[in-house]
Amino acid sequence: MFMLLTVAIAPGLALFSYFYLRKQIHKDPSRSLLRTYIYGMMLTFPILFVQYVFEEEGVFNSVFVSDVLFTSGLEEFFKWLVLLVVVYGHVDFEDPYDGILFGASVSLGFATVENILFLLTFGMNEALIRALLPVSSHALFGVVMGYYLGRAKFVEESGTKPMLFLAFFTAFGLHFVYNALVMAGSIRMYLLIPFMLFLWWFALKRVKRAHILSVDQYIRKHRTVR
């Protein structure tokens, strides 16, 4: 059991450490990030409950609608809602890059519990592939969502409402494509690998941009103080 939990949790911690250590100005309080991570873990259970109810009631006649459209929308909406309600107005959300960290935290909290439940059910044979695909994809969806959340709060010319809109719908769109490719049957790996490469490129471009915006904000703030 200890080995299984370690294998399930390690990928999320490794990915979060990567994004956390890239921040070169001031590091966010670990307590706030841990709290957000726990919120993400707690999200797993209401999401699974809603999915179970809809499945039992036969709300969707199409597997594609149920497993691709509904699932991706539901998961990203709950993550977005937590970030908007709990994190957006928090004192520790201090610059655009913080959006990256908080977005990654809530997503990886969710992905970690999902990974634990999967490995408990099916064993550790697919632990590596889950680390490379579902866990990392959730982290990257969160990074993208957090980037636009940071722009909504700190970049006035971007406009708050459009960025909040993009925070949800960009993550949802990426998740939708990922879930659709997972359903592609025997050719899915041939489609998922280039998509994951694109997803890493897309997310890291926003990580770099968020860092630049945070440095600019830091410089402006200290010039104003002087």
Side-chain angles (χ1 to χ4, degrees):
M1 176 64 73
F2 175 77
M3 179 62 71
L4 185 145
L5 290 175
T6 301
V7 170
I9 294 170
L13 292 179
L15 284 165
F16 179 76
S17 298
Y18 171 75
F19 293 116
Y20 183 79
L21 293 173
R22 282 179 67 96
K23 186 166 188 182
Q24 298 176 3
I25 308 175
H26 58 84
K27 298 292 191 291
D28 291 273
S30 56
R31 184 178 300 178
S32 298
L33 294 171
L34 177 61
R35 188 182 301 117
T36 308
Y37 181 83
I38 292 172
Y39 282 132
M41 296 177 74
M42 293 168 61
L43 278 181
T44 311
F45 302 102
I47 288 172
L48 289 175
F49 176 75
V50 172
Q51 290 173 331
Y52 172 78
V53 170
F54 274 62
E55 182 178 346
E56 288 298 306
E57 293 297 322
V59 174
F60 302 115
N61 294 322
S62 167
V63 175
F64 181 84
V65 172
S66 174
D67 293 353
V68 177
L69 181 62
F70 178 68
T71 297
S72 54
L74 182 68
E75 291 178 3
E76 296 309 321
F77 174 75
F78 271 96
K79 295 177 199 173
W80 178 81
L81 190 63
V82 167
L83 290 174
L84 190 63
V85 173
V86 178
V87 174
Y88 189 75
H90 199 281
V91 66
D92 290 331
F93 192 178
E94 298 178 314
D95 60 53
Y97 196 89
D98 287 351
I100 300 288
L101 296 179
F102 283 114
S105 293
V106 71
S107 290
L108 285 170
F110 172 83
T112 297
V113 175
E114 187 182 59
N115 204 31
I116 291 171
L117 295 175
F118 183 92
L119 296 182
L120 282 171
T121 304
F122 299 103
M124 294 196 294
N125 291 337
E126 296 190 29
L128 178 60
I129 198 69
R130 285 194 60 80
L132 294 175
L133 294 177
V135 176
S136 61
S137 64
H138 273 293
L140 298 173
F141 302 150
V143 164
V144 171
M145 183 180 290
Y147 167 75
Y148 289 109
L149 203 74
R151 288 191 69 98
K153 183 168 183 177
F154 297 104
V155 184
E156 292 182 7
E157 58 268 26
S158 296
T160 300
K161 289 183 179 179
M163 290 299 106
L164 291 177
F165 177 87
L166 281 174
F168 169 70
F169 279 98
T170 307
F172 163 64
L174 293 169
H175 198 159
F176 173 84
V177 173
Y178 175 86
N179 282 0
L181 296 180
V182 168
M183 293 187 64
S186 59
I187 65 168
R188 64 182 178 180
M189 290 305 297
Y190 297 103
L191 301 174
L192 280 170
I193 290 172
F195 176 74
M196 289 302 298
L197 292 174
F198 163 78
L199 186 57
W200 271 102
W201 171 83
F202 187 80
L204 290 179
K205 288 278 286 185
R206 275 135 193 85
V207 168
K208 182 178 180 180
R209 181 59 182 159
H211 182 261
I212 292 171
L213 291 170
S214 296
V215 170
D216 290 344
Q217 177 183 301
Y218 180 83
I219 293 171
R220 288 196 307 270
K221 186 183 295 184
H222 281 71
R223 281 178 180 171
T224 304
V225 172
R226 291 178 183 177

